[in-house]
Amino acid sequence: MTKTTASLQETWTGNKSCQRLQHTALCSKFKTRRSHQAALRQFRRTLAMSSSSSSSLAVIFRQMFESVSCTYTYLLGDPETKEAILIDPVYEKVDRDVQIVTDLGLNLIYAANTHVHADHVTGTGQLKKRLPQCESVISAVSKAEADVQVVHGDVLRVGNVCIEVRSTPGHTDGCVTYVCHEQDVAFTGDALLIRGCGRTDFQQGDAAKLYDSVHQQILSLPSHTKLYPAHDYKGLCVTTVAEEKSFNPRLTRTKQEFIEIMNNLNLAYPKQIDVAVPSNMVCGYQEIVEEIRRSRDNGKTN
């Protein structure tokens, strides 16, 4: 964990209408993995005990769509502090994202990816140039460049909103799901889609690992939790844990059946993968993206 991610000390305060999690970064206090895990368990217990009696913390929320790769980008902001995070921004939609952040008077402190995408180039590099206070975020396991490299159990703080990082490998080794317990929402990337899941036939894909990740880290959340994926190809926007446990045609099967399904999908190779993956490994910086595209185009003409 680097820079502003940290283990948290929590003090639960508030009244019946709105309880808030007041937390302070204590990176130096939790120096061992055991103490970090203990703190995280305490954090989750506090959230669980309060969920029945407290109202969800109000947040600014936008779901935005990019039609070429059918990618969703999510904006979360604290209406009090005006701090905000973008999840899975797309290179071609940076103008749109900067405009909405500006219109809403937000201070974008994070641009986070759920994994190294193969179907589009991330917008994090361009967002960092346009909004210098913004830091890029990605899983340390992905080995991609970023200002903040997160691991399982880390918590990102955006004003009064806290976002837990859960490792959900299987589509890629570096996939993570971002969970906002107070809002009862999770951003699942490509690990879990609406009535589907991410493919497992390239980029360290592993069907058995994906099955375990989704069941242990996503479908283990409360049944009413809303799940927002990185993509949808049928015009759907959101699902819930209860829906996917009942209706997902792949993940309602046994593990062995799931593996057989995933091993026989015979999907087409992603059109942008040769540009997207190397670009996303270096935060999607424009100069590098253009250089990669020129090299690819020259290779096609030679």
Side-chain angles (χ1 to χ4, degrees), residues 155-173:
V155 178
L156 295 169
R157 177 180 175 179
V158 181
N160 293 307
V161 180
C162 53
I163 303 167
E164 181 195 355
V165 179
R166 293 193 173 194
S167 177
T168 48
H171 173 61
T172 73
D173 280 348

Side-chain angles (χ1 to χ4, degrees), residues 144-160:
E145 293 183 16
D147 298 310
V148 181
Q149 294 183 322
V150 293
V151 299
H152 181 79
D154 283 349
V155 178
L156 295 169
R157 177 180 175 179
V158 181
N160 293 307

Side-chain angles (χ1 to χ4, degrees), residues 113 162 185 194:
N113 285 294
C162 53
V185 299
I194 300 172

Side-chain angles (χ1 to χ4, degrees), residues 60-80:
I60 296 168
F61 175 72
R62 297 291 186 274
Q63 181 182 38
M64 299 171 286
F65 188 66
E66 187 275 318
S67 60
V68 175
S69 61
C70 297
T71 299
Y72 283 122
T73 297
Y74 299 98
L75 175 68
L76 283 173
D78 182 342
E80 290 188 5

Side-chain angles (χ1 to χ4, degrees), residues 208-220:
K209 191 180 292 185
L210 180 60
Y211 187 90
D212 291 340
S213 293
V214 171
H215 280 276
Q216 293 170 12
Q217 300 297 333
I218 300 175
L219 298 183
S220 61

Side-chain angles (χ1 to χ4, degrees), residues 275-290:
V275 172
V277 171
S279 300
N280 292 337
M281 291 296 292
V282 291
C283 208
Y285 277 107
Q286 183 176 12
E287 296 82 359
I288 299 173
V289 173
E290 294 306 322

Side-chain angles (χ1 to χ4, degrees), residues 42-62:
Q42 180 182 354
F43 170 58
R44 288 172 175 165
R45 284 197 298 270
T46 302
L47 290 173
M49 288 187 295
S50 65
S51 62
S52 61
S53 60
S54 63
S55 302
S56 295
L57 177 68
V59 297
I60 296 168
F61 175 72
R62 297 291 186 274

